[in-house]
Amino acid sequence: ELGQTLERMVQTLRDQLPATGSGGRGWVPPGTHPDPRPPDEADVVVVGGGVVGWSVAYWLKVLEGRRRRHGMRVLVVERDPMYTRASTVLSAGGIRQQFSLRENIQMSRFSASFLRNINVGGGYVGGGQFGQSSPTHCCPPISLQEHLGVPNEPPIDIQFQPSGYLFLASSQNAAALEAGVQVQRDEGVQVALLSPTQLKAKFPWINTEDVAVASYGLEDEGWFDPWSLLNAFRRKATSLGVLSCSGEVRAFVISANPMMPPAPQSARIKYVHIYMPDSLEYQPVACAIVVNAAGAWAGKLLEADGLPRALCRPPLPIQPRKRYVFSWHCPDGPGLSCPFVVDTSGAYFRRDGFARNYLGGMSPPEVSPRGPLRSFTPLFFIRLPELILFQEEEPDPSDLSVDHDYFQERVWPRLARRVPAFESLRVRSSWAGYYDYNAFDQNAVLGPHPRLENMFLAAGFSGHGLQHSPAAGRAVAELVMKGQYETLDLRRLGWDRLVDGEPLEEHGVI
């Protein structure tokens, strides 16, 4: 574990060192264009330099093809170049196949294959841990060129730790969990159902009280280092000619459609105004396409100056939700046999390294105004039409401070009840990050905006953007370059469901 930690530190330092011979003068954050000002024009402006934004930029250049690789100018704009508040690097880093919505399962399978072949390419979606591959009906094979390795640079190591997700369900949620497992199996996912007796035999350290059934992933699940994946996308995209700059998009200049009097029903974005860091100065950038990959602030971006409110209705229901992650040490904890456990109460935890360290947390449970806090299973629950559910005690998202009482009063009792050894633990550290939470149905919004003709959306993943970034980035790039989905059919994740008021229920939001 010490050796792996030192390797990560060395790589982080390398990423932040100035170029040889520069003497440190004119140093800029890694991946940032040396010119502090953005270009005057770009074919595609990607707003948001998180893992989703860089994935979109990378796939745009891949789909452009070798012959035209330097023909399309793609610009990635990130307002936090050191990623101190970025959702990507502050996440728990998990990847799983156990979702209830087919589109999410398919994106997970694509991403698993992509990560498995991150250096060598040529794999198929699905099949085996991150060292195996096999054909499947889910989507076509990834070509040899579609990987993140950069010539003359060391191979990418995302520090993947293979381990299945273990979802626990109470008796009232058992049928829904089993139905979800059937959907997953239909999509080719290898997942097992465990009775309480089987669960206790496999994981003796778990208290199986109130557990009716559990599901356990057998392949393509685990966790990895988020920064390594973000940096791999960024390095590869930059090597393909993608530009980047530090700044914030706060305004747009549009041209309304004159064919729709008296009030325009659609418009095109002509310029984005990128404000320089710590300055009132801005640079207008002429563009043909804008990709909104602003994560938790994707909804706020559509409220920027220059966009008529009438064209942004209904509003994009994506907002920042603060989530805590706690790290603790427990000398008598589960050890190497600990998977990524999601409890019936909504709390989750996983092993962190090999020295009896763990990390975990819990999203605020939902309550109904007609009754007390209900029994909560984050993966499978039934939303009753007559009840209006809302989040209880959502943390203030204005900063990333951590409420340590939340662990003591809410998380720890649930952990200790499920794993008796956790009654004696010591908190080592904690941090907070943002979910780009889609309050409508907790699913991503992908595809074209209905009234802003040249804006595409890639946000609202509600906690699973990191693991779905390879698939979502390719999907949006296909829409931009080819006008349709080719690898995965993600049309149901488009804007139409917001207009029609028809949510896609995903019960696998942790």
Side-chain angles (χ1 to χ4, degrees), residues 381-437:
F381 67 87
I382 299 176
R383 292 180 180 268
L384 300 178
E386 67 275 10
L387 296 182
I388 302 175
L389 302 178
F390 57 88
Q391 293 293 109
E392 180 194 47
E393 298 180 9
E394 274 291 342
D396 181 6
S398 61
D399 59 45
L400 288 179
S401 61
V402 176
D403 180 4
H404 297 281
D405 291 337
Y406 186 80
F407 182 84
Q408 298 290 332
E409 299 173 2
R410 300 297 181 89
V411 181
W412 188 12
R414 289 169 167 85
L415 296 175
R417 182 171 180 269
R418 186 60 59 205
V419 182
F422 283 163
E423 292 181 0
S424 300
L425 59 79
R426 178 173 58 86
V427 176
R428 301 168 62 237
S429 62
S430 60
W431 65 90
Y434 290 115
Y435 273 15
D436 56 336
Y437 191 84

Side-chain angles (χ1 to χ4, degrees), residues 151-371:
N152 302 319
E153 291 195 9
I156 299 163
D157 179 14
I158 62 171
Q159 301 158 39
F160 175 71
Q161 297 291 319
S163 178
Y165 272 63
L166 179 65
F167 286 92
L168 310 180
S170 61
S171 57
Q172 65 184 121
N173 299 301
L177 186 145
E178 292 172 357
V181 167
Q182 186 58 53
V183 174
Q184 296 155 18
R185 288 174 173 172
D186 290 344
E187 292 295 329
V189 176
Q190 298 297 312
V191 58
L193 283 172
L194 302 177
S195 68
T197 302
Q198 293 171 320
L199 178 64
K200 189 69 174 180
K202 187 169 182 61
F203 304 106
W205 40 267
I206 281 186
N207 174 17
T208 59
E209 180 185 359
D210 82 344
V211 176
V213 66
S215 63
Y216 182 58
L218 304 177
E219 293 178 346
D220 289 340
E221 294 192 333
W223 54 88
F224 58 92
D225 178 39
W227 168 252
S228 295
L229 180 60
L230 169 61
N231 201 45
F233 267 122
R234 186 174 59 177
R235 283 177 176 270
K236 182 65 173 186
T238 301
S239 73
L240 297 178
V242 174
L243 304 176
S244 64
C245 71
S246 301
E248 182 177 2
V249 176
R250 300 182 191 170
F252 298 90
V253 176
I254 66 170
S255 60
N257 188 340
M259 303 301 293
M260 297 290 182
Q265 298 298 310
S266 64
R268 292 185 63 85
I269 297 173
K270 297 177 61 179
Y271 293 89
V272 296
H273 286 180
I274 302 176
Y275 283 74
M276 302 296 101
D278 303 319
S279 173
L280 296 178
E281 183 184 10
Y282 69 85
Q283 169 71 38
V285 179
C287 60
I289 299 290
V290 175
V291 177
N292 183 350
W297 292 269
K300 184 179 179 181
L301 184 66
L302 290 179
E303 299 174 359
D305 292 342
L307 296 181
R309 296 294 177 263
L311 295 181
C312 299
R313 292 289 183 269
L316 186 61
I318 297 174
Q319 53 192 248
R321 294 282 180 91
K322 185 165 70 172
R323 294 292 181 261
Y324 307 124
V325 180
F326 300 93
S327 174
W328 64 88
H329 176 74
C330 180
D332 299 321
L336 294 179
S337 67
C338 181
F340 201 124
V341 181
V342 184
D343 188 37
T344 58
S345 64
Y348 71 88
F349 63 91
R350 67 163 173 84
R351 174 175 58 82
D352 184 24
F354 305 97
R356 305 279 178 169
N357 296 320
Y358 309 87
L359 63 80
M362 186 182 74
S363 296
E366 294 183 353
V367 297
S368 165
R370 300 186 187 181

Side-chain angles (χ1 to χ4, degrees), residues 51-72:
V51 69
V52 173
W54 276 109
S55 176
V56 172
Y58 158 75
W59 284 113
L60 285 171
K61 299 302 288 186
V62 168
L63 295 180
E64 182 185 23
R66 287 186 178 275
R67 295 181 180 179
R68 300 179 54 214
R69 179 151 291 171
H70 300 289
M72 179 173 58

